[in-house]
Amino acid sequence: MTDQVSPTGAFIEQWRDHAYACFSSGHKFCRNVCPVMGVTQNENHSPTAFHANVVAMEQGLVSLEDVARDYVHCTQCGACETRCPNTLMAGDFYRHRTRTVDVVKAVRALAVDNGIEQPGWKHWVDETVRARTEPVLDVPIEQERVAEWADGLDLPIGGETILFVDCEAAFYRTSLPKAVAGVLKAAGVEFGLMREQWCCGGPAREMGYVARAREFAEHNLADWRATGVKRVIALDPHDYIAFTEDYVEYFARPGTAKHPEDLRSRIVGDDYDIEIVYITELVAELIREGRLKLTVPIEVVATYHDPCRLNKRKGIHESPREILRAIPGLEFRDVDHVTQWAYCSGAGGGLPVERPDLTEAISAQRLDHAANLEVDTLVSQCVWSERPLSKAGADRGIEVRDLMEMVAESAGIDGHVEGTA
Ligand code: SF4
């Protein structure tokens, strides 16, 4: 044991029962589904260890310094939660879910609060605070240019519905927001942009920088309120989960957010009621209602990469499949296992910043699974996954494409161009 930092009462009070529920059960099935464990084979990176450490810290057997670095090794994908027998046996009836992701986030936050910082994450968050947008790799970042992708599209500022464009999409894969804007316009959906969009704050929160994350959230909510926003469309799963979990925690009156089965969340306060909708949910609805017609064939054999934050974390897995099946010419081969047991890309939870080597290895595994289905295309709907997946796909002759860009193409939208800034 060290004489360094040990978690204090409030932390232990909040997490001890969860930790003991895992520690005492000893199933450890989560090891086999954890994408990080799959490549490191290091027990310290297992979901079981993340809970057991809390028990050990409570018992005074290890300190926070001893274990803080281990918690880097999680993409916050939620695979362990969906496969945990404690979730499976008690989930349907009691709504119980093992909470590994939240434990990881809590330990990371505790570490930051105690001055234990990871160098890559500290740099990333410092840069995000400086630029008010994430330091997207390979392209210059200036917050003032966050809506440059929309030049020439004649989109209004504000309005009842706005499109929130993720940092990676706004600065790097600008073809994605252009495609989404074209699709929404073609279907007659009126929408605008924020006056001044900042990073959603989700990544900072995932890395443990809770106060910083909240500053971003407060700015964005103030921007929405100032222009009377009633609905926010998210086109990236990381933004969506930040809005539907973090923002709800910060700003929603208790009991107003949602029913667990409801895929659309609301942020309800005294003078605001803002619906959060994910783009695939909306586009599937537009196709169903006949407001968006997909007529241009795309002749590929494709499978779908379920972004973890959509599928395993938020239960959004039907709408992307509905859209894929509506694209003429596309032969869809679904994953060869239970849909909610989808494999991670390795691109979440800050892992690519601290351990890009592991992200690369996990993406390679994901493409191996796709290759087993004998497809030529892997379709994703998470812009952050698309860079590492594309690299792994190039090695295997599988093209990685974004679902919304394919929708734009199949809808015959003028000016649809795939690619990056
Ligand atoms: S959330 Fe995903 S990466 Fe994190 S411990 Fe669970 S399975 Fe592993």
Side-chain angles (χ1 to χ4, degrees):
M1 177 191 170
T2 77
D3 58 358
Q4 298 166 306
V5 176
S6 289
T8 52
F11 175 88
I12 293 296
E13 183 68 22
Q14 185 173 7
W15 295 109
R16 75 181 297 286
D17 288 354
H18 295 282
Y20 273 95
C22 170
F23 180 67
S24 60
S25 68
H27 306 297
K28 300 188 176 69
F29 290 134
C30 49
R31 273 207 210 95
N32 297 337
V33 299
C34 174
V36 179
M37 271 292 288
V39 297
T40 69
Q41 300 297 324
N42 182 336
E43 282 293 328
N44 292 339
H45 305 157
S46 72
T48 313
F50 296 153
H51 290 286
N53 284 339
V54 176
V55 175
M57 286 192 280
E58 188 209 21
Q59 301 280 329
L61 300 173
V62 296
S63 74
L64 189 57
E65 283 94 335
D66 292 333
V67 298
R69 179 71 188 169
D70 293 339
Y71 287 81
V72 164
H73 300 88
C74 174
T75 66
Q76 303 183 5
C77 70
C80 48
E81 298 184 359
T82 60
R83 298 288 277 273
C84 176
N86 291 349
T87 302
L88 293 172
M89 288 188 284
D92 286 347
F93 192 74
Y94 294 109
R95 294 270 165 230
H96 170 83
R97 180 171 170 132
T98 297
R99 293 174 63 193
T100 313
V101 171
D102 287 340
V103 168
V104 168
K105 287 170 78 174
V107 174
R108 290 179 180 185
L110 190 71
V112 170
D113 284 348
N114 283 281
I116 306 168
E117 296 180 271
Q118 308 302 327
W121 289 349
K122 178 174 173 12
H123 175 73
W124 188 271
V125 173
D126 284 349
E127 284 300 297
T128 308
V129 169
R130 184 189 62 74
R132 300 186 294 284
T133 185
E134 286 191 275
V136 174
L137 301 177
D138 304 332
V139 287
I141 301 303
E142 292 159 27
Q143 197 280 330
E144 295 71 22
R145 294 179 42 241
V146 71
E148 207 171 87
W149 64 269
D151 282 356
L153 295 183
D154 196 25
L155 298 177
I157 298 299
E160 290 207 349
T161 298
I162 56 128
L163 177 64
F164 188 95
V165 178
D166 179 83
C167 304
E168 173 86 346
F171 292 101
Y172 181 73
R173 198 172 179 114
T174 54
S175 51
L176 170 59
K178 284 178 186 165
V180 169
V183 166
L184 294 178
K185 278 186 163 191
V189 177
E190 290 186 11
F191 68 99
L193 302 177
M194 291 173 65
R195 296 182 313 177
E196 189 182 346
Q197 179 188 297
W198 287 12
C199 171
C200 69
R205 174 87 189 244
E206 290 182 344
M207 295 172 187
Y209 293 81
V210 180
R212 288 301 196 192
R214 182 152 183 159
E215 288 168 16
F216 290 109
E218 284 177 352
H219 166 88
N220 287 332
L221 179 70
D223 197 292
W224 298 343
R225 291 172 66 188
T227 54
V229 169
K230 295 200 176 342
R231 180 168 70 157
V232 176
I233 302 170
L235 56 66
D236 174 79
H238 300 257
D239 305 321
Y240 180 74
I241 206 158
F243 299 153
T244 58
E245 294 192 352
D246 299 344
Y247 285 38
V248 163
E249 177 193 318
Y250 304 146
F251 308 125
R253 274 205 310 267
T256 56
K258 62 189 173 204
H259 182 273
E261 301 295 325
D262 188 355
L263 299 178
R264 296 189 182 198
S265 291
R266 291 162 63 202
I267 305 170
V268 183
D270 290 339
D271 63 349
Y272 51 87
D273 183 345
I274 301 168
E275 181 189 23
I276 309 295
V277 58
Y278 197 70
I279 187 66
T280 57
E281 295 290 299
L282 178 59
V283 166
E285 186 178 292
L286 295 170
I287 294 169
R288 227 177 286 138
E289 292 174 350
R291 293 170 63 189
L292 182 68
K293 298 200 185 314
L294 306 187
T295 54
V296 179
I298 301 180
E299 307 280 352
V300 294
V301 181
T303 191
Y304 175 62
H305 171 70
D306 280 286
C308 301
R309 281 152 186 75
L310 288 190
N311 184 346
K312 294 190 283 287
R313 301 268 308 270
K314 302 301 292 187
I316 295 179
H317 44 75
E318 284 308 314
S319 56
R321 288 171 166 76
E322 193 178 336
I323 296 166
L324 278 168
R325 290 189 172 105
I327 297 176
L330 186 148
E331 181 185 333
F332 177 48
R333 295 188 183 168
D334 209 345
V335 289
D336 55 351
H337 49 70
V338 175
T339 306
Q340 253 201 317
W341 292 357
Y343 299 98
C344 184
S345 70
L351 192 73
V353 179
E354 279 294 332
R355 293 295 309 266
D357 56 325
L358 297 184
T359 296
E360 189 173 332
I362 294 168
S363 282
Q365 285 200 346
R366 177 64 189 90
L367 262 296
D368 286 341
H369 289 297
N372 289 339
L373 294 171
E374 298 181 351
V375 297
D376 53 46
T377 304
L378 177 64
V379 183
S380 178
Q381 220 298 285
C382 168
V383 69
W384 286 99
S385 77
E386 287 164 16
R387 277 210 248 188
L389 289 177
S390 295
K391 189 163 179 286
D395 297 339
R396 292 161 179 78
I398 295 177
E399 188 180 7
V400 175
R401 301 186 65 181
D402 186 276
L403 179 59
M404 285 305 124
E405 292 175 3
M406 294 176 80
V407 167
E409 181 181 333
S410 187
I413 289 166
D414 277 351
H416 163 67
V417 185
E418 277 197 41
T420 54

PDB file of all heavy atoms in Angstrom, residues 30 33-37 45-48 50 73-81 100-101 104 308 312-313 344 362, ligand 1:
ATOM      1  N   CYS A  30     -17.058 -10.490 -19.063  1.00  0.00           N
ATOM      2  CA  CYS A  30     -16.778  -9.223 -19.743  1.00  0.00           C
ATOM      3  C   CYS A  30     -15.386  -9.194 -20.359  1.00  0.00           C
ATOM      4  O   CYS A  30     -15.148  -8.483 -21.324  1.00  0.00           O
ATOM      5  CB  CYS A  30     -16.939  -8.069 -18.754  1.00  0.00           C
ATOM      6  SG  CYS A  30     -16.059  -8.346 -17.201  1.00  0.00           S
ATOM      7  N   VAL A  33     -15.277  -9.892 -24.098  1.00  0.00           N
ATOM      8  CA  VAL A  33     -15.917  -8.965 -25.041  1.00  0.00           C
ATOM      9  C   VAL A  33     -15.290  -7.583 -25.001  1.00  0.00           C
ATOM     10  O   VAL A  33     -15.583  -6.742 -25.845  1.00  0.00           O
ATOM     11  CB  VAL A  33     -17.433  -8.838 -24.778  1.00  0.00           C
ATOM     12  CG1 VAL A  33     -18.096 -10.189 -24.962  1.00  0.00           C
ATOM     13  CG2 VAL A  33     -17.723  -8.277 -23.397  1.00  0.00           C
ATOM     14  N   CYS A  34     -14.433  -7.342 -24.036  1.00  0.00           N
ATOM     15  CA  CYS A  34     -13.796  -6.030 -23.930  1.00  0.00           C
ATOM     16  C   CYS A  34     -12.796  -5.855 -25.074  1.00  0.00           C
ATOM     17  O   CYS A  34     -11.877  -6.652 -25.227  1.00  0.00           O
ATOM     18  CB  CYS A  34     -13.082  -5.892 -22.595  1.00  0.00           C
ATOM     19  SG  CYS A  34     -12.140  -4.359 -22.481  1.00  0.00           S
ATOM     20  N   PRO A  35     -12.968  -4.810 -25.894  1.00  0.00           N
ATOM     21  CA  PRO A  35     -12.055  -4.641 -27.034  1.00  0.00           C
ATOM     22  C   PRO A  35     -10.620  -4.373 -26.599  1.00  0.00           C
ATOM     23  O   PRO A  35      -9.677  -4.792 -27.288  1.00  0.00           O
ATOM     24  CB  PRO A  35     -12.645  -3.441 -27.777  1.00  0.00           C
ATOM     25  CG  PRO A  35     -13.456  -2.701 -26.760  1.00  0.00           C
ATOM     26  CD  PRO A  35     -13.994  -3.748 -25.830  1.00  0.00           C
ATOM     27  N   VAL A  36     -10.464  -3.709 -25.472  1.00  0.00           N
ATOM     28  CA  VAL A  36      -9.108  -3.399 -25.016  1.00  0.00           C
ATOM     29  C   VAL A  36      -8.427  -4.675 -24.504  1.00  0.00           C
ATOM     30  O   VAL A  36      -7.294  -4.988 -24.880  1.00  0.00           O
ATOM     31  CB  VAL A  36      -9.124  -2.305 -23.931  1.00  0.00           C
ATOM     32  CG1 VAL A  36      -7.706  -2.018 -23.448  1.00  0.00           C
ATOM     33  CG2 VAL A  36      -9.769  -1.026 -24.471  1.00  0.00           C
ATOM     34  N   MET A  37      -9.142  -5.415 -23.654  1.00  0.00           N
ATOM     35  CA  MET A  37      -8.595  -6.697 -23.181  1.00  0.00           C
ATOM     36  C   MET A  37      -8.252  -7.616 -24.349  1.00  0.00           C
ATOM     37  O   MET A  37      -7.302  -8.381 -24.305  1.00  0.00           O
ATOM     38  CB  MET A  37      -9.624  -7.399 -22.290  1.00  0.00           C
ATOM     39  CG  MET A  37      -9.562  -7.046 -20.828  1.00  0.00           C
ATOM     40  SD  MET A  37      -8.068  -7.653 -20.053  1.00  0.00           S
ATOM     41  CE  MET A  37      -8.386  -9.412 -19.996  1.00  0.00           C
ATOM     42  N   HIS A  45      -6.538  -4.215 -17.257  1.00  0.00           N
ATOM     43  CA  HIS A  45      -7.402  -3.451 -18.155  1.00  0.00           C
ATOM     44  C   HIS A  45      -8.795  -4.062 -18.250  1.00  0.00           C
ATOM     45  O   HIS A  45      -9.567  -3.689 -19.126  1.00  0.00           O
ATOM     46  CB  HIS A  45      -6.790  -3.396 -19.564  1.00  0.00           C
ATOM     47  CG  HIS A  45      -5.391  -2.870 -19.577  1.00  0.00           C
ATOM     48  ND1 HIS A  45      -4.499  -3.135 -20.589  1.00  0.00           N
ATOM     49  CD2 HIS A  45      -4.727  -2.101 -18.686  1.00  0.00           C
ATOM     50  CE1 HIS A  45      -3.336  -2.550 -20.325  1.00  0.00           C
ATOM     51  NE2 HIS A  45      -3.454  -1.921 -19.179  1.00  0.00           N
ATOM     52  N   SER A  46      -9.096  -4.999 -17.393  1.00  0.00           N
ATOM     53  CA  SER A  46     -10.399  -5.666 -17.497  1.00  0.00           C
ATOM     54  C   SER A  46     -11.466  -4.891 -16.737  1.00  0.00           C
ATOM     55  O   SER A  46     -11.190  -4.211 -15.747  1.00  0.00           O
ATOM     56  CB  SER A  46     -10.310  -7.087 -16.934  1.00  0.00           C
ATOM     57  OG  SER A  46     -10.204  -7.031 -15.532  1.00  0.00           O
ATOM     58  N   PRO A  47     -12.715  -4.982 -17.197  1.00  0.00           N
ATOM     59  CA  PRO A  47     -13.817  -4.361 -16.451  1.00  0.00           C
ATOM     60  C   PRO A  47     -13.851  -4.847 -15.010  1.00  0.00           C
ATOM     61  O   PRO A  47     -14.155  -4.080 -14.093  1.00  0.00           O
ATOM     62  CB  PRO A  47     -15.058  -4.812 -17.227  1.00  0.00           C
ATOM     63  CG  PRO A  47     -14.555  -5.115 -18.612  1.00  0.00           C
ATOM     64  CD  PRO A  47     -13.169  -5.634 -18.437  1.00  0.00           C
ATOM     65  N   THR A  48     -13.536  -6.120 -14.806  1.00  0.00           N
ATOM     66  CA  THR A  48     -13.513  -6.655 -13.441  1.00  0.00           C
ATOM     67  C   THR A  48     -12.516  -5.886 -12.580  1.00  0.00           C
ATOM     68  O   THR A  48     -12.803  -5.533 -11.430  1.00  0.00           O
ATOM     69  CB  THR A  48     -13.099  -8.144 -13.476  1.00  0.00           C
ATOM     70  OG1 THR A  48     -13.857  -8.802 -14.478  1.00  0.00           O
ATOM     71  CG2 THR A  48     -13.322  -8.798 -12.122  1.00  0.00           C
ATOM     72  N   PHE A  50     -11.521  -2.854 -12.980  1.00  0.00           N
ATOM     73  CA  PHE A  50     -11.974  -1.476 -12.727  1.00  0.00           C
ATOM     74  C   PHE A  50     -12.902  -1.419 -11.511  1.00  0.00           C
ATOM     75  O   PHE A  50     -12.912  -0.439 -10.777  1.00  0.00           O
ATOM     76  CB  PHE A  50     -12.691  -0.909 -13.957  1.00  0.00           C
ATOM     77  CG  PHE A  50     -11.805  -0.772 -15.167  1.00  0.00           C
ATOM     78  CD1 PHE A  50     -12.332  -0.814 -16.446  1.00  0.00           C
ATOM     79  CD2 PHE A  50     -10.432  -0.602 -15.026  1.00  0.00           C
ATOM     80  CE1 PHE A  50     -11.517  -0.690 -17.563  1.00  0.00           C
ATOM     81  CE2 PHE A  50      -9.603  -0.478 -16.137  1.00  0.00           C
ATOM     82  CZ  PHE A  50     -10.149  -0.536 -17.412  1.00  0.00           C
ATOM     83  N   HIS A  73      -7.405   2.552 -20.181  1.00  0.00           N
ATOM     84  CA  HIS A  73      -7.619   1.435 -21.097  1.00  0.00           C
ATOM     85  C   HIS A  73      -9.091   1.036 -21.179  1.00  0.00           C
ATOM     86  O   HIS A  73      -9.471  -0.109 -20.883  1.00  0.00           O
ATOM     87  CB  HIS A  73      -6.746   0.256 -20.669  1.00  0.00           C
ATOM     88  CG  HIS A  73      -5.288   0.604 -20.689  1.00  0.00           C
ATOM     89  ND1 HIS A  73      -4.644   1.170 -19.601  1.00  0.00           N
ATOM     90  CD2 HIS A  73      -4.375   0.524 -21.681  1.00  0.00           C
ATOM     91  CE1 HIS A  73      -3.380   1.410 -19.930  1.00  0.00           C
ATOM     92  NE2 HIS A  73      -3.193   1.031 -21.180  1.00  0.00           N
ATOM     93  N   CYS A  74      -9.899   1.981 -21.578  1.00  0.00           N
ATOM     94  CA  CYS A  74     -11.335   1.723 -21.753  1.00  0.00           C
ATOM     95  C   CYS A  74     -11.847   2.695 -22.803  1.00  0.00           C
ATOM     96  O   CYS A  74     -11.552   3.890 -22.752  1.00  0.00           O
ATOM     97  CB  CYS A  74     -12.064   1.941 -20.429  1.00  0.00           C
ATOM     98  SG  CYS A  74     -13.865   1.818 -20.564  1.00  0.00           S
ATOM     99  N   THR A  75     -12.599   2.171 -23.751  1.00  0.00           N
ATOM    100  CA  THR A  75     -13.185   3.041 -24.782  1.00  0.00           C
ATOM    101  C   THR A  75     -14.580   3.518 -24.392  1.00  0.00           C
ATOM    102  O   THR A  75     -15.221   4.236 -25.146  1.00  0.00           O
ATOM    103  CB  THR A  75     -13.293   2.301 -26.129  1.00  0.00           C
ATOM    104  OG1 THR A  75     -14.237   1.253 -25.982  1.00  0.00           O
ATOM    105  CG2 THR A  75     -11.953   1.734 -26.577  1.00  0.00           C
ATOM    106  N   GLN A  76     -15.044   3.092 -23.242  1.00  0.00           N
ATOM    107  CA  GLN A  76     -16.389   3.422 -22.763  1.00  0.00           C
ATOM    108  C   GLN A  76     -17.447   2.941 -23.760  1.00  0.00           C
ATOM    109  O   GLN A  76     -18.438   3.619 -24.033  1.00  0.00           O
ATOM    110  CB  GLN A  76     -16.504   4.918 -22.455  1.00  0.00           C
ATOM    111  CG  GLN A  76     -15.456   5.342 -21.430  1.00  0.00           C
ATOM    112  CD  GLN A  76     -15.518   6.782 -21.003  1.00  0.00           C
ATOM    113  OE1 GLN A  76     -16.421   7.507 -21.398  1.00  0.00           O
ATOM    114  NE2 GLN A  76     -14.563   7.204 -20.199  1.00  0.00           N
ATOM    115  N   CYS A  77     -17.195   1.745 -24.298  1.00  0.00           N
ATOM    116  CA  CYS A  77     -18.089   1.197 -25.324  1.00  0.00           C
ATOM    117  C   CYS A  77     -19.335   0.565 -24.729  1.00  0.00           C
ATOM    118  O   CYS A  77     -20.366   0.488 -25.393  1.00  0.00           O
ATOM    119  CB  CYS A  77     -17.348   0.184 -26.184  1.00  0.00           C
ATOM    120  SG  CYS A  77     -16.949  -1.359 -25.333  1.00  0.00           S
ATOM    121  N   GLY A  78     -19.211   0.054 -23.498  1.00  0.00           N
ATOM    122  CA  GLY A  78     -20.376  -0.554 -22.858  1.00  0.00           C
ATOM    123  C   GLY A  78     -20.561  -2.033 -23.159  1.00  0.00           C
ATOM    124  O   GLY A  78     -21.551  -2.631 -22.716  1.00  0.00           O
ATOM    125  N   ALA A  79     -19.621  -2.649 -23.896  1.00  0.00           N
ATOM    126  CA  ALA A  79     -19.770  -4.075 -24.213  1.00  0.00           C
ATOM    127  C   ALA A  79     -19.843  -4.910 -22.941  1.00  0.00           C
ATOM    128  O   ALA A  79     -20.656  -5.833 -22.829  1.00  0.00           O
ATOM    129  CB  ALA A  79     -18.604  -4.541 -25.078  1.00  0.00           C
ATOM    130  N   CYS A  80     -19.014  -4.569 -21.969  1.00  0.00           N
ATOM    131  CA  CYS A  80     -18.986  -5.338 -20.724  1.00  0.00           C
ATOM    132  C   CYS A  80     -20.333  -5.240 -20.002  1.00  0.00           C
ATOM    133  O   CYS A  80     -20.778  -6.216 -19.380  1.00  0.00           O
ATOM    134  CB  CYS A  80     -17.866  -4.841 -19.819  1.00  0.00           C
ATOM    135  SG  CYS A  80     -17.820  -3.050 -19.626  1.00  0.00           S
ATOM    136  N   GLU A  81     -20.970  -4.098 -20.113  1.00  0.00           N
ATOM    137  CA  GLU A  81     -22.242  -3.911 -19.411  1.00  0.00           C
ATOM    138  C   GLU A  81     -23.339  -4.774 -20.032  1.00  0.00           C
ATOM    139  O   GLU A  81     -24.154  -5.364 -19.323  1.00  0.00           O
ATOM    140  CB  GLU A  81     -22.655  -2.434 -19.449  1.00  0.00           C
ATOM    141  CG  GLU A  81     -21.655  -1.527 -18.749  1.00  0.00           C
ATOM    142  CD  GLU A  81     -22.115  -0.077 -18.708  1.00  0.00           C
ATOM    143  OE1 GLU A  81     -23.202   0.220 -19.241  1.00  0.00           O
ATOM    144  OE2 GLU A  81     -21.394   0.753 -18.143  1.00  0.00           O
ATOM    145  N   THR A 100     -20.011  -0.092 -15.676  1.00  0.00           N
ATOM    146  CA  THR A 100     -18.557   0.018 -15.809  1.00  0.00           C
ATOM    147  C   THR A 100     -18.149   1.367 -16.390  1.00  0.00           C
ATOM    148  O   THR A 100     -17.188   1.982 -15.942  1.00  0.00           O
ATOM    149  CB  THR A 100     -18.008  -1.110 -16.709  1.00  0.00           C
ATOM    150  OG1 THR A 100     -18.579  -2.347 -16.299  1.00  0.00           O
ATOM    151  CG2 THR A 100     -16.497  -1.180 -16.636  1.00  0.00           C
ATOM    152  N   VAL A 101     -18.883   1.812 -17.404  1.00  0.00           N
ATOM    153  CA  VAL A 101     -18.528   3.085 -18.047  1.00  0.00           C
ATOM    154  C   VAL A 101     -18.544   4.212 -17.015  1.00  0.00           C
ATOM    155  O   VAL A 101     -17.622   5.033 -16.950  1.00  0.00           O
ATOM    156  CB  VAL A 101     -19.496   3.396 -19.208  1.00  0.00           C
ATOM    157  CG1 VAL A 101     -19.262   4.811 -19.724  1.00  0.00           C
ATOM    158  CG2 VAL A 101     -19.319   2.383 -20.327  1.00  0.00           C
ATOM    159  N   VAL A 104     -15.599   3.987 -14.677  1.00  0.00           N
ATOM    160  CA  VAL A 104     -14.369   4.470 -15.333  1.00  0.00           C
ATOM    161  C   VAL A 104     -14.363   5.999 -15.377  1.00  0.00           C
ATOM    162  O   VAL A 104     -13.349   6.642 -15.054  1.00  0.00           O
ATOM    163  CB  VAL A 104     -14.257   3.865 -16.756  1.00  0.00           C
ATOM    164  CG1 VAL A 104     -13.179   4.568 -17.571  1.00  0.00           C
ATOM    165  CG2 VAL A 104     -13.974   2.376 -16.673  1.00  0.00           C
ATOM    166  N   CYS A 308     -20.585   2.332 -30.748  1.00  0.00           N
ATOM    167  CA  CYS A 308     -20.906   1.821 -29.401  1.00  0.00           C
ATOM    168  C   CYS A 308     -21.888   2.729 -28.684  1.00  0.00           C
ATOM    169  O   CYS A 308     -22.785   2.262 -27.986  1.00  0.00           O
ATOM    170  CB  CYS A 308     -19.629   1.700 -28.579  1.00  0.00           C
ATOM    171  SG  CYS A 308     -18.430   0.596 -29.345  1.00  0.00           S
ATOM    172  N   LYS A 312     -24.805  -0.024 -28.109  1.00  0.00           N
ATOM    173  CA  LYS A 312     -24.713  -0.624 -26.768  1.00  0.00           C
ATOM    174  C   LYS A 312     -25.102   0.362 -25.674  1.00  0.00           C
ATOM    175  O   LYS A 312     -25.596  -0.030 -24.627  1.00  0.00           O
ATOM    176  CB  LYS A 312     -23.291  -1.145 -26.535  1.00  0.00           C
ATOM    177  CG  LYS A 312     -22.918  -2.302 -27.450  1.00  0.00           C
ATOM    178  CD  LYS A 312     -21.623  -2.957 -27.065  1.00  0.00           C
ATOM    179  CE  LYS A 312     -20.417  -2.171 -27.483  1.00  0.00           C
ATOM    180  NZ  LYS A 312     -20.154  -2.200 -28.928  1.00  0.00           N
ATOM    181  N   ARG A 313     -24.848   1.642 -25.888  1.00  0.00           N
ATOM    182  CA  ARG A 313     -25.112   2.613 -24.824  1.00  0.00           C
ATOM    183  C   ARG A 313     -26.525   3.206 -24.902  1.00  0.00           C
ATOM    184  O   ARG A 313     -27.122   3.517 -23.889  1.00  0.00           O
ATOM    185  CB  ARG A 313     -24.074   3.746 -24.866  1.00  0.00           C
ATOM    186  CG  ARG A 313     -22.605   3.311 -24.718  1.00  0.00           C
ATOM    187  CD  ARG A 313     -22.106   3.326 -23.295  1.00  0.00           C
ATOM    188  NE  ARG A 313     -22.325   4.556 -22.589  1.00  0.00           N
ATOM    189  CZ  ARG A 313     -21.493   5.591 -22.551  1.00  0.00           C
ATOM    190  NH1 ARG A 313     -20.342   5.524 -23.194  1.00  0.00           N
ATOM    191  NH2 ARG A 313     -21.774   6.664 -21.844  1.00  0.00           N
ATOM    192  N   CYS A 344     -16.379  -2.851 -31.071  1.00  0.00           N
ATOM    193  CA  CYS A 344     -15.945  -1.458 -30.976  1.00  0.00           C
ATOM    194  C   CYS A 344     -14.914  -1.149 -32.075  1.00  0.00           C
ATOM    195  O   CYS A 344     -14.235  -2.039 -32.581  1.00  0.00           O
ATOM    196  CB  CYS A 344     -15.310  -1.304 -29.599  1.00  0.00           C
ATOM    197  SG  CYS A 344     -14.789   0.329 -29.149  1.00  0.00           S
ATOM    198  N   ILE A 362      -7.506  -2.426 -32.355  1.00  0.00           N
ATOM    199  CA  ILE A 362      -8.935  -2.747 -32.208  1.00  0.00           C
ATOM    200  C   ILE A 362      -9.655  -2.534 -33.544  1.00  0.00           C
ATOM    201  O   ILE A 362     -10.499  -3.341 -33.948  1.00  0.00           O
ATOM    202  CB  ILE A 362      -9.565  -1.895 -31.078  1.00  0.00           C
ATOM    203  CG1 ILE A 362      -8.955  -2.279 -29.723  1.00  0.00           C
ATOM    204  CG2 ILE A 362     -11.082  -2.087 -31.040  1.00  0.00           C
ATOM    205  CD1 ILE A 362      -9.282  -1.309 -28.593  1.00  0.00           C
TER     206      ILE A 362
HETATM  207  S1  SF4 B   1     -16.716  -0.294 -21.666  1.00  0.00           S
HETATM  208 FE1  SF4 B   1     -15.799  -1.457 -23.383  1.00  0.00          FE
HETATM  209  S2  SF4 B   1     -13.594  -0.939 -23.341  1.00  0.00           S
HETATM  210 FE2  SF4 B   1     -14.491  -0.308 -21.338  1.00  0.00          FE
HETATM  211  S3  SF4 B   1     -14.105  -2.048 -19.984  1.00  0.00           S
HETATM  212 FE3  SF4 B   1     -16.195  -2.329 -20.849  1.00  0.00          FE
HETATM  213  S4  SF4 B   1     -15.885  -3.618 -22.703  1.00  0.00           S
HETATM  214 FE4  SF4 B   1     -13.862  -2.816 -22.097  1.00  0.00          FE
END
